[in-house]
Amino acid sequence: MNEITLHGEKKLVLAAGRAHPELATQVAEELGTELLPMSAYDFANGEIYVRSGESVRGKDIFVMQSHPAPLNNHLMEQLLMLDSFKRASAKRITVVSPFYPYARQDKKGRGREPISARLVADLYKTAGADRIMSVDLHTAQIQGFFDGPVDHLFAVPMLSDYIRSKTEGEDLTVVSPDTGRVRVAEQWAERLGGAPLAFVHKSRDLTVPNQAVSKQVVGQVEGRTCVLIDDMIDTGGTIAGAVRVLQEAGAKDVIIAATHAVFSDPAAQRLAECGAREVVVTNTLPIPEEKRFGTLTVLSIAPLIARAIREVFEDGSVTSLFDGVA
């Protein structure tokens, strides 16, 4: 295995679970290194076994794992990897979770609910993590759940640069699917040349998961190309409903942009049939061929993660990667 050595002392090692080998390989290539050889398999009863093929003693190790379905299996595998590296005397352990697990459960909406995102942070810490790195957290407050450094990476610059290149000369409006994403929409608007903002009013029954009703749009959308943004697309119901509301309000075109393509069924069908001109996502999560469709564009997040890993390893500035986006 190749290692990155700094000043003849620090040694960087990149390890990855089995959830998204394509992204892990891309990050390793961007870093100019190889993935740590790992042995990982499941026992007949579902227990997971992991073991590093090489020594990690005294090394700065980055443990990368995406969390597609079945999320719990991949989270457990990552926790076991952390524990194994801690017990193998790694010098510093950084969790790299491009899609932070349980991020939507970041507060108590009703009595007797868990704050699951906080629990995940506690599990990471207990298993041996010194630091966490993630992309586009569902809410920024999750950074405060972990007792240690959290590097919050942003896909907005990459996504907005791509969309700007595809919409030159068009009248754009940035649309948030709800009021909770307005702050992020402002960042999008700034990067798209000061485009006006709009948001879709929706209602949600807290007792029913993955179900929201988009009702009306507030803002200037008639005759304009609407860039509909979100951090994740799960079943696609909310985003497809927002496209319908925008079209009924007179939008010329709709382009969907999201970081995390969860794509639980029937998301792919909904997105393919919703009437959006293009659906742009990143590969923080693996997207199997059966969930890809003609209007889907997938951008690689690997260069961003690799640059952030290098900055952390070299004690540089992760904030400098985002040109003021925070």
Side-chain angles (χ1 to χ4, degrees), residues 59-206:
K59 296 176 182 177
D60 196 347
I61 186 161
F62 293 79
V63 186
M64 187 170 177
Q65 178 77 305
S66 293
H67 295 93
L71 181 150
N72 294 331
N73 291 33
H74 298 133
L75 175 58
M76 191 66 197
E77 180 177 86
Q78 189 178 27
L79 292 170
L80 292 172
M81 291 173 69
L82 296 174
D83 186 73
S84 71
F85 296 138
K86 177 180 68 176
R87 296 176 187 280
S89 301
K91 183 176 182 180
R92 182 172 66 167
I93 302 173
T94 299
V95 165
V96 183
S97 292
F99 175 68
Y100 189 93
Y102 287 90
R104 282 176 288 189
Q105 299 183 51
D106 61 335
K107 60 184 179 295
K108 290 180 66 172
R110 298 185 299 157
R112 301 184 298 280
E113 288 183 343
I115 303 180
S116 307
R118 169 60 195 261
L119 174 60
V120 169
D122 289 343
L123 289 170
Y124 280 147
K125 186 71 175 179
T126 301
D130 299 297
R131 189 181 195 107
I132 292 177
M133 182 179 295
S134 192
V135 182
D136 282 351
L137 294 169
H138 189 59
T139 56
Q141 72 191 43
I142 292 173
Q143 296 175 82
F145 293 169
F146 184 75
D147 186 18
V150 177
D151 298 301
H152 188 191
L153 311 184
F154 302 94
V156 172
M158 178 180 66
L159 290 167
S160 60
D161 287 350
Y162 172 83
I163 289 177
R164 188 171 60 245
S165 71
K166 293 291 185 177
T167 57
E168 190 173 352
E170 299 183 43
D171 294 325
L172 300 181
T173 293
V174 177
V175 183
S176 172
D178 54 52
T179 56
R181 304 296 293 175
V182 170
R183 175 70 185 97
V184 178
E186 291 174 346
Q187 297 167 5
W188 271 88
E190 183 178 348
R191 297 191 67 92
L192 293 176
L197 298 179
F199 71 90
V200 177
H201 172 63
K202 71 179 183 182
S203 62
R204 182 185 298 276
D205 184 348
L206 294 177

Side-chain angles (χ1 to χ4, degrees), residues 41-49 73:
Y41 56 82
D42 299 333
F43 288 102
N45 69 343
E47 288 185 12
I48 299 170
Y49 173 88
N73 291 33

Side-chain angles (χ1 to χ4, degrees), residues 21 44 116 136 174 228 237 268 282-283 294 302 309 318 323:
S116 307
D136 282 351
V174 177
L228 180 59
T282 77
N283 65 339
I309 288 174
V318 174
D323 299 326

